[in-house]
Every structure is written in structure tokens, then in C-alpha cells.
Amino acid sequence: MYNGKSSGQGPVRVGGWYIKPMYLYIGAAILAVAAIFLIMRFLSTSLAMHFGAFAGILLLVGNLRELIGQSYGDRGSTALLNVLVGGGLIFAWLSQFFGVLLWVPALILVGIATPLIFGRSSVYRGYLTAARSAVDTVKRTVVR
């Protein structure tokens, strides 16, 4: 017998919030569509881009520890060069999934890495000086 009430469940409690099940279904459908979209983009991206992303990860993992440590001279500039190129490769790969705008950081990283090829020690010292002055400026601004 129909008594005017729906036979469905009432609101579901999620993290302290009461949400109607319909909204949960809509959210699950949106997440499913987004997952399918990303999987399709992953499969349609060329093998060369996946290879470049793997090479970028190898460059980052292999050189980040040396770059963060107290390495000086040409070893540090080589590590910085490798980390910048690796980051550029990762951003280029991510641009295949999330859009053209991620090409901008990829090009910037590779553009910053390019001068390191020609004058490693002087460019490396210049980059370190610029980074230290930027950190000092941020410290003075935040610590006030």
C-alpha cells in the first residue's frame, strides 16, 4: 500500500554530511566518466611519450638526491640539468592527459636547462645565486 513516502533510502551520512543517494550516484558516474576518459587518453598516447615519461622519472630519481645534497661543481650542474630535463619530459607526458597548458612548464624547464649545456659551472652558480636570493626574499616577506 502506498503511504506517500518513497520506498528508497533516506540521506546517507558521508563525513558528517547528509547526502541524498541520487547525488552519490551522480558523483560516481562523473568519476567513472573521468576515469574512462583518462584511460582512453593513456591508451591513445603514443609509445614514445610513455618512453619519455619513464626516462624523465629515471632522470629525476637518479639525480634528485645528488641535487638536494651538498654537491658542488660540475656534478651539481649535471644533476640540475638532468632534473630539469626529466621534469620537462614528465610535464610533456602529462600534457597528453590534462591539456596543452602543461606544455608551458615543460618548455620552461627545458629552456632553463639549455644554458647549462654551454657554460655549466658559471650558469650553475648563477642559478644557485638566483635561487638563494629568491628564498631570502620569501623568508623576509613571510617572517615579518
Side-chain angles (χ1 to χ4, degrees):
M1 181 166 152
Y2 181 71
N3 59 3
K5 295 182 180 178
S6 67
S7 62
Q9 297 176 346
V12 178
R13 187 177 174 145
V14 176
W17 297 87
Y18 290 102
I19 301 174
K20 292 182 181 180
M22 180 180 71
Y23 295 135
L24 290 177
Y25 297 141
I26 291 171
I30 290 171
L31 287 175
V33 168
I36 290 170
F37 174 75
L38 289 175
I39 289 171
M40 294 303 292
R41 295 289 290 224
F42 180 80
L43 294 175
S44 67
T45 301
S46 69
L47 184 60
M49 288 303 293
H50 294 307
F51 183 78
F54 184 70
I57 290 170
L58 289 177
L59 285 170
L60 286 174
V61 170
N63 291 286
L64 197 57
R65 186 174 7 150
E66 182 180 337
L67 184 64
I68 292 173
Q70 296 297 325
S71 61
Y72 297 102
D74 284 339
R75 284 185 13 190
S77 65
T78 303
L80 179 62
L81 175 66
N82 289 339
V83 167
L84 289 171
V85 170
L89 287 170
I90 298 292
F91 275 110
W93 180 72
L94 287 173
S95 72
Q96 301 300 307
F97 301 104
F98 300 111
V100 177
L101 288 179
L102 287 177
W103 275 107
V104 173
L107 293 173
I108 289 172
L109 288 173
V110 173
I112 292 171
T114 302
L116 280 170
I117 296 170
F118 303 113
R120 287 187 188 219
S121 59
S122 62
V123 173
Y124 182 66
R125 278 193 301 273
Y127 284 170
L128 285 180
T129 304
R132 285 183 184 133
S133 66
V135 168
D136 289 340
T137 303
V138 169
K139 280 183 182 178
R140 280 189 302 236
T141 304
V142 172
V143 175
R144 283 186 183 189

